[in-house]
Amino acid sequence: VFYVRTNCINPDVSIWTSIDVTSVPLNDECINATQIFKATPLNGTTVGSTSSMAAHACATSGTADDDVWYTFTAHYSGNVVISLTAPSADFDAVIVAYSGTCGAFTSIGCVDDDGPGDPETLNLTVTGGETYFFRVWGYGSSAESRGSFTLEINGDALPVALTSFTGESAGSFNKLNWETATETNNSGFELQRSADGANFTALTYVNSKAEGGNSSVSLSYSYNDVRP
């Protein structure tokens, strides 16, 4: 928050005005939805976010004025569980999941079971090969209802538990590193890159190190993008 002082003609009088310049989260809109991977906790926030859709039927009396977006791809048909925990006793989270594409959605699940500060769990049945989206917002309309949270996604439809994925500049090339905790029927990884964070093109394909595509131990991978 910045404060601006306005001096009046009378030199003894000043008026102070506060201006909130909270930054907007990068995943404020569906087109910039954050990718989430199996068993990899991800921190998020609705602070500074804006509304992109009306509230869902499971929370119609709430105010969806602070939603943020996430996406995942189901590699197999089966079950997916989205879990959310929030450290703030004031943040009452709502989770809504969709199939389809941005602007052409079909709702497939919604949860708003618990009160402020309580965890939320959304169970979904998904189809292999399909990409899904979900959004999170705070039920209330006050500033206190916006807050931070931690997300985690699990289920048999997501074959790879990704422990980490990092990228760094190494002089004339970019070095990518990632690690898996488990892999199930996984043939490999397609790496993609983007100049704007929205439109991606394939960079390369890296075969799985797991024997037969299955592993219950940690495996490490790396790739050098020599033409970044």
Side-chain angles (χ1 to χ4, degrees), residues 16-41:
W16 287 89
T17 304
S18 64
I19 302 173
D20 189 349
V21 293
T22 303
S23 60
V24 176
L26 294 177
N27 59 337
D28 185 48
E29 299 295 336
C30 171
I31 192 172
N32 294 322
T34 298
Q35 185 85 25
I36 187 169
F37 300 97
K38 181 180 180 181
T40 304

Side-chain angles (χ1 to χ4, degrees), residues 168-175 225-228:
E168 61 178 335
S169 175
S172 62
F173 64 93
N174 289 335
K175 186 174 183 64
D225 179 6
V226 299
R227 300 180 62 185

Side-chain angles (χ1 to χ4, degrees), residues 42-82:
L42 182 67
N43 294 326
T45 183
T46 65
V47 176
S49 62
T50 59
S51 175
S52 54
M53 293 175 62
H56 187 271
C58 80
T60 51
S61 59
T63 305
D65 58 355
D66 59 336
D67 53 13
V68 287
W69 291 85
Y70 298 87
T71 184
F72 67 92
T73 298
H75 292 268
Y76 301 97
S77 296
N79 299 316
V80 165
V81 180
I82 301 170

Side-chain angles (χ1 to χ4, degrees), residues 28-149:
D28 185 48
E29 299 295 336
C30 171
I31 192 172
N32 294 322
T34 298
Q35 185 85 25
I36 187 169
F37 300 97
K38 181 180 180 181
T40 304
L42 182 67
N43 294 326
T45 183
T46 65
V47 176
S49 62
T50 59
S51 175
S52 54
M53 293 175 62
H56 187 271
C58 80
T60 51
S61 59
T63 305
D65 58 355
D66 59 336
D67 53 13
V68 287
W69 291 85
Y70 298 87
T71 184
F72 67 92
T73 298
H75 292 268
Y76 301 97
S77 296
N79 299 316
V80 165
V81 180
I82 301 170
S83 303
L84 180 149
T85 55
S88 171
D90 296 316
F91 185 56
D92 183 5
V94 180
I95 308 174
V96 184
Y98 304 91
S99 61
T101 58
C102 294
F105 280 132
T106 299
S107 174
I108 60 172
C110 177
V111 62
D112 178 37
D113 291 336
D114 300 305
D118 292 332
E120 298 281 3
T121 302
L122 179 60
N123 295 281
L124 304 173
T125 300
V126 296
T127 301
E130 296 293 325
T131 296
Y132 296 88
F133 294 82
F134 65 94
R135 61 179 177 140
V136 176
W137 78 80
Y139 184 86
S141 60
S142 64
E144 290 78 13
S145 70
R146 300 172 184 239
S148 300
F149 52 85

